[in-house]
Short mmCIF file of all heavy atoms in Angstrom, two decimals:
data_model
loop_
_atom_site.label_atom_id
_atom_site.label_comp_id
_atom_site.label_asym_id
_atom_site.label_seq_id
_atom_site.Cartn_x
_atom_site.Cartn_y
_atom_site.Cartn_z
N PHE A 1243 103.47 92.28 81.79
CA PHE A 1243 104.24 93.47 82.17
C PHE A 1243 103.28 94.49 82.74
O PHE A 1243 102.25 94.80 82.14
CB PHE A 1243 104.98 94.07 80.98
CG PHE A 1243 105.73 95.34 81.34
CD1 PHE A 1243 106.93 95.26 82.01
CD2 PHE A 1243 105.20 96.58 81.03
CE1 PHE A 1243 107.61 96.42 82.39
CE2 PHE A 1243 105.87 97.74 81.41
CZ PHE A 1243 107.09 97.66 82.08
N MET A 1244 103.64 95.05 83.91
CA MET A 1244 102.80 96.03 84.59
C MET A 1244 103.41 97.42 84.44
O MET A 1244 104.49 97.69 84.99
CB MET A 1244 102.68 95.68 86.08
CG MET A 1244 102.06 94.33 86.34
SD MET A 1244 101.96 93.92 88.12
CE MET A 1244 103.69 93.53 88.46
N PRO A 1245 102.77 98.33 83.71
CA PRO A 1245 103.27 99.71 83.67
C PRO A 1245 103.24 100.32 85.07
O PRO A 1245 102.36 100.02 85.87
CB PRO A 1245 102.27 100.42 82.75
CG PRO A 1245 101.60 99.34 81.99
CD PRO A 1245 101.57 98.15 82.89
N VAL A 1246 104.21 101.17 85.35
CA VAL A 1246 104.32 101.77 86.67
C VAL A 1246 103.56 103.09 86.70
O VAL A 1246 103.89 104.03 85.97
CB VAL A 1246 105.79 101.99 87.05
CG1 VAL A 1246 105.91 102.72 88.38
CG2 VAL A 1246 106.51 100.64 87.12
N GLY A 1247 102.54 103.13 87.55
CA GLY A 1247 101.78 104.35 87.79
C GLY A 1247 101.98 104.78 89.23
O GLY A 1247 101.04 104.72 90.04
N THR A 1248 103.18 105.20 89.55
CA THR A 1248 103.60 105.45 90.93
C THR A 1248 102.58 106.24 91.72
O THR A 1248 102.18 105.86 92.81
CB THR A 1248 104.95 106.19 90.94
OG1 THR A 1248 105.92 105.40 90.25
CG2 THR A 1248 105.42 106.45 92.35
N GLN A 1249 102.13 107.36 91.18
CA GLN A 1249 101.24 108.27 91.90
C GLN A 1249 99.82 108.21 91.34
O GLN A 1249 99.17 109.23 91.15
CB GLN A 1249 101.80 109.68 91.86
CG GLN A 1249 103.23 109.74 92.38
CD GLN A 1249 103.64 111.10 92.88
OE1 GLN A 1249 103.02 111.63 93.80
NE2 GLN A 1249 104.67 111.66 92.30
N ALA A 1250 99.35 106.98 91.08
CA ALA A 1250 98.01 106.74 90.55
C ALA A 1250 97.86 107.25 89.13
O ALA A 1250 96.76 107.61 88.70
CB ALA A 1250 96.93 107.35 91.46
N THR A 1251 98.97 107.28 88.39
CA THR A 1251 98.91 107.61 86.97
C THR A 1251 100.16 107.08 86.29
O THR A 1251 101.26 107.20 86.84
CB THR A 1251 98.81 109.13 86.75
OG1 THR A 1251 98.87 109.41 85.34
CG2 THR A 1251 99.93 109.89 87.44
N VAL A 1252 100.00 106.50 85.13
CA VAL A 1252 101.14 106.15 84.29
C VAL A 1252 101.46 107.40 83.50
O VAL A 1252 100.65 107.86 82.69
CB VAL A 1252 100.81 104.97 83.36
CG1 VAL A 1252 101.97 104.68 82.41
CG2 VAL A 1252 100.46 103.73 84.18
N LYS A 1253 102.61 107.97 83.73
CA LYS A 1253 102.94 109.29 83.19
C LYS A 1253 102.77 109.32 81.66
O LYS A 1253 103.30 108.49 80.94
CB LYS A 1253 104.37 109.68 83.56
CG LYS A 1253 104.54 110.00 85.04
CD LYS A 1253 105.97 110.40 85.35
CE LYS A 1253 106.14 110.89 86.78
NZ LYS A 1253 105.77 109.85 87.77
N GLY A 1254 102.01 110.33 81.20
CA GLY A 1254 101.82 110.53 79.77
C GLY A 1254 100.70 109.72 79.17
O GLY A 1254 100.41 109.87 77.97
N MET A 1255 100.03 108.86 79.97
CA MET A 1255 99.00 107.99 79.43
C MET A 1255 97.69 108.15 80.19
O MET A 1255 97.66 108.12 81.43
CB MET A 1255 99.44 106.53 79.54
CG MET A 1255 100.53 106.09 78.58
SD MET A 1255 99.98 105.98 76.86
CE MET A 1255 100.64 107.55 76.20
N SER A 1256 96.59 108.31 79.46
CA SER A 1256 95.27 108.27 80.08
C SER A 1256 94.84 106.82 80.24
O SER A 1256 95.34 105.94 79.51
CB SER A 1256 94.26 109.03 79.22
OG SER A 1256 94.14 108.41 77.94
N PRO A 1257 93.94 106.51 81.17
CA PRO A 1257 93.50 105.12 81.35
C PRO A 1257 92.94 104.48 80.08
O PRO A 1257 93.19 103.30 79.82
CB PRO A 1257 92.42 105.24 82.44
CG PRO A 1257 92.83 106.43 83.23
CD PRO A 1257 93.39 107.40 82.21
N ASP A 1258 92.20 105.26 79.28
CA ASP A 1258 91.64 104.66 78.06
C ASP A 1258 92.74 104.29 77.07
O ASP A 1258 92.66 103.28 76.38
CB ASP A 1258 90.60 105.59 77.41
CG ASP A 1258 91.16 106.95 77.02
OD1 ASP A 1258 92.12 107.41 77.67
OD2 ASP A 1258 90.65 107.55 76.07
N ARG A 1259 93.80 105.11 77.00
CA ARG A 1259 94.94 104.78 76.14
C ARG A 1259 95.62 103.51 76.62
O ARG A 1259 96.02 102.65 75.83
CB ARG A 1259 95.94 105.92 76.14
CG ARG A 1259 95.71 106.99 75.09
CD ARG A 1259 95.89 106.43 73.69
NE ARG A 1259 96.03 107.51 72.71
CZ ARG A 1259 96.07 107.32 71.42
NH1 ARG A 1259 95.99 106.09 70.93
NH2 ARG A 1259 96.18 108.34 70.58
N LEU A 1260 95.77 103.37 77.93
CA LEU A 1260 96.39 102.17 78.47
C LEU A 1260 95.59 100.92 78.12
O LEU A 1260 96.15 99.89 77.76
CB LEU A 1260 96.52 102.28 80.00
CG LEU A 1260 97.66 103.14 80.54
CD1 LEU A 1260 97.54 103.26 82.05
CD2 LEU A 1260 99.01 102.58 80.16
N ARG A 1261 94.27 101.04 78.24
CA ARG A 1261 93.42 99.89 77.88
C ARG A 1261 93.57 99.54 76.41
O ARG A 1261 93.65 98.36 76.04
CB ARG A 1261 91.96 100.19 78.23
CG ARG A 1261 91.64 100.08 79.72
CD ARG A 1261 90.15 100.21 79.98
NE ARG A 1261 89.71 101.58 79.83
CZ ARG A 1261 89.63 102.46 80.83
NH1 ARG A 1261 89.98 102.11 82.04
NH2 ARG A 1261 89.21 103.69 80.62
N GLU A 1262 93.60 100.57 75.56
CA GLU A 1262 93.76 100.33 74.12
C GLU A 1262 95.09 99.65 73.80
O GLU A 1262 95.17 98.81 72.90
CB GLU A 1262 93.66 101.65 73.36
CG GLU A 1262 92.27 102.26 73.34
CD GLU A 1262 92.28 103.69 72.79
OE1 GLU A 1262 93.35 104.13 72.29
OE2 GLU A 1262 91.24 104.36 72.86
N LEU A 1263 96.13 100.01 74.54
CA LEU A 1263 97.44 99.41 74.32
C LEU A 1263 97.50 97.96 74.77
O LEU A 1263 98.36 97.21 74.33
CB LEU A 1263 98.51 100.21 75.05
CG LEU A 1263 98.89 101.57 74.45
CD1 LEU A 1263 99.78 102.34 75.42
CD2 LEU A 1263 99.61 101.39 73.12
N GLY A 1264 96.60 97.59 75.68
CA GLY A 1264 96.57 96.21 76.15
C GLY A 1264 97.05 96.02 77.57
O GLY A 1264 97.31 94.88 77.99
N ALA A 1265 97.17 97.10 78.34
CA ALA A 1265 97.58 96.96 79.74
C ALA A 1265 96.51 96.19 80.51
O ALA A 1265 95.33 96.54 80.48
CB ALA A 1265 97.80 98.33 80.36
N GLU A 1266 96.92 95.14 81.20
CA GLU A 1266 95.99 94.33 81.96
C GLU A 1266 96.00 94.65 83.45
O GLU A 1266 95.03 94.39 84.16
CB GLU A 1266 96.32 92.84 81.77
CG GLU A 1266 96.20 92.36 80.33
CD GLU A 1266 96.58 90.90 80.20
OE1 GLU A 1266 96.01 90.07 80.92
OE2 GLU A 1266 97.47 90.60 79.37
N ILE A 1267 97.11 95.20 83.93
CA ILE A 1267 97.28 95.51 85.34
C ILE A 1267 98.34 96.60 85.44
O ILE A 1267 99.28 96.63 84.65
CB ILE A 1267 97.70 94.25 86.14
CG1 ILE A 1267 97.95 94.57 87.62
CG2 ILE A 1267 98.90 93.55 85.50
CD1 ILE A 1267 98.19 93.33 88.48
N VAL A 1268 98.18 97.52 86.38
CA VAL A 1268 99.17 98.57 86.59
C VAL A 1268 99.63 98.54 88.04
O VAL A 1268 98.99 97.95 88.91
CB VAL A 1268 98.61 99.97 86.24
CG1 VAL A 1268 98.20 100.05 84.79
CG2 VAL A 1268 97.45 100.34 87.16
N LEU A 1269 100.77 99.19 88.28
CA LEU A 1269 101.36 99.25 89.61
C LEU A 1269 101.32 100.67 90.13
O LEU A 1269 101.62 101.62 89.40
CB LEU A 1269 102.80 98.75 89.56
CG LEU A 1269 103.62 98.75 90.85
CD1 LEU A 1269 104.63 97.60 90.82
CD2 LEU A 1269 104.36 100.07 91.08
N SER A 1270 100.92 100.82 91.39
CA SER A 1270 101.02 102.12 92.07
C SER A 1270 101.80 101.92 93.36
O SER A 1270 102.06 100.78 93.77
CB SER A 1270 99.63 102.70 92.34
OG SER A 1270 99.04 103.17 91.15
N ASN A 1271 102.15 103.02 94.02
CA ASN A 1271 103.08 102.92 95.14
C ASN A 1271 102.51 103.45 96.44
O ASN A 1271 102.01 104.58 96.52
CB ASN A 1271 104.38 103.65 94.81
CG ASN A 1271 105.41 103.46 95.90
OD1 ASN A 1271 105.58 104.34 96.75
ND2 ASN A 1271 106.06 102.32 95.90
N THR A 1272 102.63 102.64 97.48
CA THR A 1272 102.09 102.97 98.80
C THR A 1272 102.75 104.20 99.40
O THR A 1272 102.06 105.09 99.93
CB THR A 1272 102.28 101.77 99.74
OG1 THR A 1272 101.52 100.67 99.24
CG2 THR A 1272 101.85 102.09 101.15
N TYR A 1273 104.06 104.28 99.30
CA TYR A 1273 104.79 105.40 99.91
C TYR A 1273 104.29 106.73 99.36
O TYR A 1273 103.96 107.64 100.12
CB TYR A 1273 106.29 105.23 99.64
CG TYR A 1273 107.12 106.46 99.94
CD1 TYR A 1273 107.58 106.73 101.22
CD2 TYR A 1273 107.46 107.36 98.92
CE1 TYR A 1273 108.34 107.86 101.49
CE2 TYR A 1273 108.23 108.48 99.18
CZ TYR A 1273 108.66 108.73 100.46
OH TYR A 1273 109.42 109.84 100.72
N HIS A 1274 104.23 106.85 98.06
CA HIS A 1274 103.85 108.12 97.44
C HIS A 1274 102.38 108.45 97.71
O HIS A 1274 102.06 109.62 97.99
CB HIS A 1274 104.13 108.07 95.95
CG HIS A 1274 105.59 108.10 95.61
ND1 HIS A 1274 106.33 109.26 95.63
CD2 HIS A 1274 106.45 107.11 95.27
CE1 HIS A 1274 107.58 109.00 95.30
NE2 HIS A 1274 107.69 107.70 95.08
N LEU A 1275 101.49 107.48 97.62
CA LEU A 1275 100.07 107.76 97.82
C LEU A 1275 99.75 108.01 99.28
O LEU A 1275 98.80 108.74 99.60
CB LEU A 1275 99.24 106.62 97.26
CG LEU A 1275 99.35 106.43 95.74
CD1 LEU A 1275 98.54 105.23 95.28
CD2 LEU A 1275 98.92 107.69 94.99
#
């Protein structure tokens, strides 16, 4: 499962928190960036 980080951030989560939770890959969006 890929958390959605539309604008280069998963809302409410810092990157270190995401790593601790076990996120292996995240999604960002071309249109917004």
Side-chain angles (χ1 to χ4, degrees):
F1243 177 78
M1244 299 179 285
V1246 176
T1248 301
Q1249 305 203 59
T1251 175
V1252 176
K1253 290 181 173 60
M1255 288 289 101
S1256 62
D1258 60 332
R1259 271 295 195 187
L1260 282 174
R1261 284 187 286 267
E1262 290 170 7
L1263 286 171
E1266 298 179 54
I1267 177 172
V1268 299
L1269 179 149
S1270 287
N1271 185 261
T1272 296
Y1273 167 84
H1274 289 282
L1275 295 177

